[in-house]
Amino acid sequence: MLDLQRLRALHAVSVHGTVGAAAGALGYTPSAVSQQIAKLERETRTVLLEREGRGVRLTAEARQLAETARELLAIVERAETELEERRGRPAGRLTIAAFASAARGLLPGVLARLAREHPALDARLTEVDPHLSVGLVAQGAVDLVVAHDWDIAPLPAPAGVEQAVIGDDPSDLVVPEGHPFAGRAAVRREELGGERWICQPPGRVCHDWLVRTLRAAGHEPDIVHQADENPTLVALVAAGLGVALIPRLGRGPLPPGVVEVPLDPMPVRRLYALWRTGAAGRPAIAETVRVLRAHWPEAAARTRG
């Protein structure tokens, strides 16, 4: 009899690509995941992972077994959902993936409220980029996702995934004090040519939005510095190294020497909760979505620091 937790570990490695990423999603240590895979190899008398550079890759047998694991985990999820529906209250483990500023500016209050009001619910958070998180929920690697999109880059919801709007998060142009834009009531997008930009790396939603928006306004962006975290972007702006577009959620107060300036029209990203259709009847999903939407006005009220 194959152990379900070991199959879950293999499935997580197949979805996330590395033992370390799988461990983060499952809430285990990399060593614990490796041990689960090693035990599964002994049980099946099959090599499942092979060394590839500094990482690992799944063998053909492992990929086949991971697909079987996905099907089994889906069956288990349906059974758990049916039991939770009969109880009529949120319970069990709920894995949530959220992008960085939502994990910082929205989820702490939501998770605290869920823990306070539903002690039988074990909600667990993982920080994941929006481009990746939608695929994770579709594949069954997480139960619920908080993601976002922009007006020119809609968030695709694959078949079998449902979504609900949480709220809208405005973004501001952030410039060094003394910049010609500082003190302006608003700046039009057509005026942004010639600026030195600080933004997230390619492949991130915010980076793609900036490039597409500036090109649509007739400007080729000069991106001079790249960093993952918004606080790092703000620190680079404070050093006088360029300008940045920073969403308000999770941003916090700006440091001395940095000024926010509204853009006209103002860029807005929309936040969504996404979950699998098969889990839509689960009280934990419905309650978490409700709390996310109910908590949004409070989180948004703090965005101006």
Side-chain angles (χ1 to χ4, degrees):
M1 180 69 68
L2 295 177
D3 184 272
L4 186 62
Q5 293 306 314
R6 293 165 194 166
L7 290 174
R8 190 185 300 275
L10 178 64
H11 175 253
V13 173
S14 72
V15 169
H16 295 277
T18 68
V19 171
L26 293 172
Y28 301 152
T29 65
S31 176
V33 172
S34 295
Q35 290 175 17
Q36 293 279 13
I37 299 297
K39 291 177 181 178
L40 187 59
E41 287 182 324
R42 290 195 294 270
E43 286 178 348
T44 59
R45 299 181 178 86
T46 304
V47 175
L48 300 176
L49 298 182
E50 294 180 339
R51 289 288 181 184
E52 187 173 60
R54 295 185 177 181
V56 296
R57 69 176 181 86
L58 273 68
T59 64
E61 293 81 4
R63 289 194 295 272
Q64 179 179 354
L65 188 57
E67 176 59 24
T68 300
R70 184 191 65 79
E71 296 171 358
L72 289 173
L73 292 171
I75 293 172
V76 171
E77 179 183 64
R78 288 197 297 272
E80 291 174 341
T81 298
E82 290 170 0
L83 285 173
E84 193 176 325
E85 287 176 345
R86 291 178 65 87
R87 297 189 190 104
R89 64 182 186 276
R93 178 176 294 190
L94 182 77
T95 54
I96 303 171
F99 61 96
S101 52
R104 180 171 58 251
L106 175 62
L107 267 299
V110 170
L111 293 171
R113 180 170 173 179
L114 289 172
R116 184 171 60 252
E117 297 181 359
H118 305 287
L121 178 62
D122 180 16
R124 302 191 176 197
L125 173 65
T126 300
E127 185 179 303
V128 180
D129 185 78
H131 278 321
L132 302 175
S133 61
V134 177
L136 295 181
V137 75
Q139 295 165 2
V142 297
D143 298 313
L144 185 73
V145 159
V146 177
H148 69 79
D149 67 9
W150 296 82
D151 51 357
I152 63 172
L155 180 70
V161 174
E162 300 182 21
Q163 65 182 33
V165 174
I166 298 173
D168 290 339
D169 182 28
S171 298
D172 298 297
L173 181 67
V174 177
V175 303
E177 192 175 42
H179 188 281
F181 290 154
R184 289 270 300 270
V187 174
R188 298 190 307 277
R189 297 180 184 183
E190 293 76 12
E191 301 179 76
L192 297 176
E195 297 296 330
R196 292 168 63 84
W197 286 93
I198 302 167
C199 74
Q200 294 179 332
R204 297 297 187 92
V205 178
C206 295
H207 179 282
D208 296 345
W209 183 93
L210 177 66
V211 171
R212 293 173 63 179
T213 298
L214 291 182
R215 286 176 178 169
H219 308 302
E220 185 61 30
D222 180 16
I223 299 174
V224 294
H225 302 293
Q226 301 177 35
D228 285 318
E229 295 293 334
N230 286 336
T232 306
L233 303 182
V234 172
L236 292 168
V237 173
L241 299 173
V243 303
L245 182 73
I246 307 291
R248 294 178 183 173
L249 178 64
R251 188 190 71 189
L254 293 174
V258 179
V259 178
E260 68 176 34
V261 184
L263 282 178
D264 182 19
M266 179 172 285
V268 175
R269 62 180 183 177
R270 175 160 290 182
L271 274 65
Y272 298 88
L274 300 100
W275 61 92
R276 287 180 298 284
T277 300
R282 186 180 174 190
I285 295 288
E287 178 63 4
T288 302
V289 173
R290 186 192 70 80
V291 173
L292 281 165
R293 300 178 78 175
H295 191 69
W296 174 253
E298 179 182 338
R302 296 196 303 267
T303 59
R304 299 308 295 264

